[in-house]
Amino acid sequence: MTSLDTPCLPDASDDSRAGPAPRHRTVGVQVGDVTVGGGAPIVVQSMTNTDTADVDATVAQVAALARAGSELVRITVDRDEAAAAVPKIRERLDRLDVTVPLVGDFHYIGHQLLADHPACAEALAKYRINPGNVGFKEKKDRQFGAIVEMAIRYKKAVRIGANWGSLDQELLTHLMDQNAASAAPRDVRWVTREAMVQSALLSAARAEEIGLSRDRIILSAKVSAVQDLIAVYQELARRSDYAIHLGLTEAGMGSKGIVASSAAIGILLQQGIGDTIRFSLTPEPGGDRTVEVRTAQELLQTMGFRTFVPLVAACPGCGRTTSTVFQELARDIQTWITTSMPGWRTEYPGVENLNVAVMGCIVNGPGESKHADIGISLPGTGEQPTAPVFIDGRKAMTLRGATLAQDFQKIVIDYIEKRYGQGSRDAAE
């Protein structure tokens, strides 16, 4: 008998298969009413692509992102008109009962904008500084310090975000020279990664020297290549306990951006690294900006870190499922759940933990449906035109006829009402 003939279990002492590594310990940072790091749930954030000076457009997009589940929203503050609009945006959002904290994205003249627009400095919950373009030569330390002092004055958090595309060239040149003079020089890519890490850490140390406490500092070091991102963040986590913002910069459009971001961020999260994430996806012209929020949520939920919406398991289809009924039902159920969630969160607490299965034939349909809270196994090609429904692992009924989709949807909402509605909560009490 060969080893292949003998089933065996992995060694119980081998916990590498047990799930993600323990979370990297970081200092918790309060951003408005949201905690980043310190063991808090991993935060989903996003960024607007409107002109911040356009108050109406920016308010509408921030509200849409927040309703989609973005827990922080970053806005560009690049000139006087944008800075002047920020307090108006905050006021309008508050009137709409959209309380999501706003993060100001500053480059080049952030120190001046914050000084000239104190209402902007007050309205923002966090300032984002890029140490590569906060200032150059003799102005760099002074302008960086000015923003940090504003954060101290207004009791705001700061994200110090190094970026591959705007890396501190003075630091990079210094490290390149050091490397060239060493007995065993490293390759250029390694030096550039090291410059990213040092840029973030040296800037954070400088902020602390000025007086900004560690519980107000979040670090990021964004690059556009997956392997570089993983290497940089691994080193950043190894050498510090600052809260960490994860994101693959310039990830791209469509499936490319989603796959690249999911691969890089997913690996780091599995290693316990990361306190807040953003998917930097390029939308189609006029496309839906909230896609980046839902994609980030799906990654966290798929990996088991958080739950946001009920999961719908659906059959991929094959030659046994030549009918499109199961595809249409899976789409309709998923769309219905997504559009219903804003109201359900209040009406049915805990409904985000629901699992629904929509399967296409008898091969895996009944089994998958039994594993879900509620599932339906639709008839495949040549099968009897019946659809058994399973609730909590047991066959509950069989549906037939042209109204099958509507009937199943009613069964789902009845189940939600029974399990998560006020009546179930009263009974539990």
Side-chain angles (χ1 to χ4, degrees), residues 214-234:
R214 295 176 78 80
D215 63 357
R216 299 238 176 230
I217 299 173
I218 298 172
L219 296 188
S220 68
K222 290 189 173 183
V223 303
S224 56
V226 169
Q227 295 296 341
D228 289 323
L229 189 90
I230 294 168
V232 166
Y233 273 104
Q234 286 173 334

Side-chain angles (χ1 to χ4, degrees), residues 52-53 75-88 90 104 106 109-127 146-147 150-151 153-154 156:
T52 305
I75 59 177
T76 298
V77 187
D78 58 345
R79 63 193 196 280
D80 285 306
E81 292 82 359
V86 170
K88 299 174 186 175
R90 179 72 274 166
F106 293 101
I109 59 170
H111 63 292
Q112 194 64 54
L113 293 173
L114 286 168
D116 292 347
H117 299 273
C120 169
E122 180 61 50
L124 294 169
K126 184 174 75 172
Y127 310 153
I147 298 178
M150 284 286 183
R153 179 186 306 174
Y154 290 100
K156 306 297 181 179

Side-chain angles (χ1 to χ4, degrees), residues 2 27 40 72 74 92 135-136 138 152 164 237 258 269 288 295-296 305 314 328 331 338 355 361 369 379 402:
T2 68
V27 177
L72 300 174
R74 184 157 45 113
R92 288 267 298 277
F136 303 100
E138 71 282 353
I152 295 169
W164 195 265
I258 292 172
L269 291 175
D288 184 358
T295 308
F305 290 106
E328 292 163 358
R331 178 201 61 201
T338 300
N355 288 307
C361 79
S369 296

Side-chain angles (χ1 to χ4, degrees), residues 399-411:
L399 299 181
R400 299 177 176 83
T403 62
L404 185 149
Q406 296 93 315
D407 293 342
F408 182 65
Q409 185 167 312
K410 183 179 186 306
I411 293 168

Side-chain angles (χ1 to χ4, degrees), residues 417-418 420-428:
E417 176 61 45
K418 181 179 178 181
Y420 302 104
Q422 183 61 49
S424 68
R425 296 195 294 278
D426 290 343

Side-chain angles (χ1 to χ4, degrees), residues 79-247:
R79 63 193 196 280
D80 285 306
E81 292 82 359
V86 170
K88 299 174 186 175
I89 292 166
R90 179 72 274 166
E91 183 182 348
R92 288 267 298 277
L93 289 169
D94 290 341
R95 288 206 303 267
L96 293 170
D97 199 29
V98 178
T99 59
V100 63
L102 297 177
V103 180
D105 197 57
F106 293 101
H107 297 278
Y108 305 110
I109 59 170
H111 63 292
Q112 194 64 54
L113 293 173
L114 286 168
D116 292 347
H117 299 273
C120 169
E122 180 61 50
L124 294 169
K126 184 174 75 172
Y127 310 153
R128 189 273 177 135
I129 311 172
N130 182 341
N133 60 29
V134 71
F136 303 100
K137 297 189 181 299
E138 71 282 353
K139 294 180 179 179
K140 178 182 172 183
D141 286 344
R142 184 172 72 250
Q143 294 177 181
F144 176 85
I147 298 178
V148 170
E149 286 169 359
M150 284 286 183
I152 295 169
R153 179 186 306 174
Y154 290 100
K155 297 180 173 59
K156 306 297 181 179
V158 169
R159 171 160 72 97
I160 296 172
N163 193 292
W164 195 265
S166 51
L167 186 54
D168 184 334
Q169 291 303 301
E170 189 176 350
L171 174 62
L172 179 60
T173 299
H174 172 70
L175 292 178
M176 288 289 189
D177 290 344
Q178 268 192 344
N179 184 61
S182 69
R186 307 280 196 119
D187 62 55
V188 170
R189 204 165 199 87
W190 183 92
V191 178
T192 308
R193 290 171 176 172
E194 177 64 17
M196 289 282 292
V197 174
Q198 287 199 25
S199 178
L201 292 177
L202 290 170
S203 298
R206 175 62 182 143
E208 285 198 68
E209 287 174 6
I210 295 169
L212 189 65
S213 59
R214 295 176 78 80
D215 63 357
R216 299 238 176 230
I217 299 173
I218 298 172
L219 296 188
S220 68
K222 290 189 173 183
V223 303
S224 56
V226 169
Q227 295 296 341
D228 289 323
L229 189 90
I230 294 168
V232 166
Y233 273 104
Q234 286 173 334
E235 193 63 16
L236 195 62
R238 188 182 71 82
R239 288 153 68 172
S240 79
D241 63 353
Y242 294 108
I244 289 180
H245 166 121
L246 292 184

Side-chain angles (χ1 to χ4, degrees), residues 237-366:
R238 188 182 71 82
R239 288 153 68 172
S240 79
D241 63 353
Y242 294 108
I244 289 180
H245 166 121
L246 292 184
L248 187 77
T249 191
E250 289 91 38
M253 183 178 284
S255 61
K256 185 269 179 187
I258 292 172
V259 170
S261 291
S262 297
I265 296 173
I267 287 170
L268 289 164
L269 291 175
Q270 187 71 8
Q271 295 174 353
I273 299 169
D275 299 300
T276 177
I277 66 172
R278 187 220 166 181
F279 272 54
S280 300
L281 303 179
T282 304
E284 297 286 345
D288 184 358
R289 192 68 167 179
T290 64
V291 169
E292 68 176 49
V293 178
R294 293 196 299 275
T295 308
Q297 289 179 329
E298 286 168 8
L299 177 68
L300 291 176
Q301 184 154 343
T302 300
M303 294 186 71
F305 290 106
R306 293 186 64 183
T307 54
F308 297 96
V309 297
L311 286 176
V312 179
C315 170
C318 67
R320 298 178 63 92
T321 56
T322 52
S323 166
T324 61
V325 173
F326 82 93
Q327 297 167 321
E328 292 163 358
L329 181 56
R331 178 201 61 201
D332 293 347
I333 291 291
Q334 184 68 72
T335 301
W336 172 59
I337 286 173
T338 300
T339 55
S340 300
M341 272 306 292
W344 283 0
R345 284 191 184 98
T346 301
E347 192 173 357
Y348 305 114
V351 71
E352 64 274 8
N353 297 302
L354 178 71
N355 288 307
V356 180
V358 179
M359 305 306 294
C361 79
I362 199 170
V363 173
N364 291 319

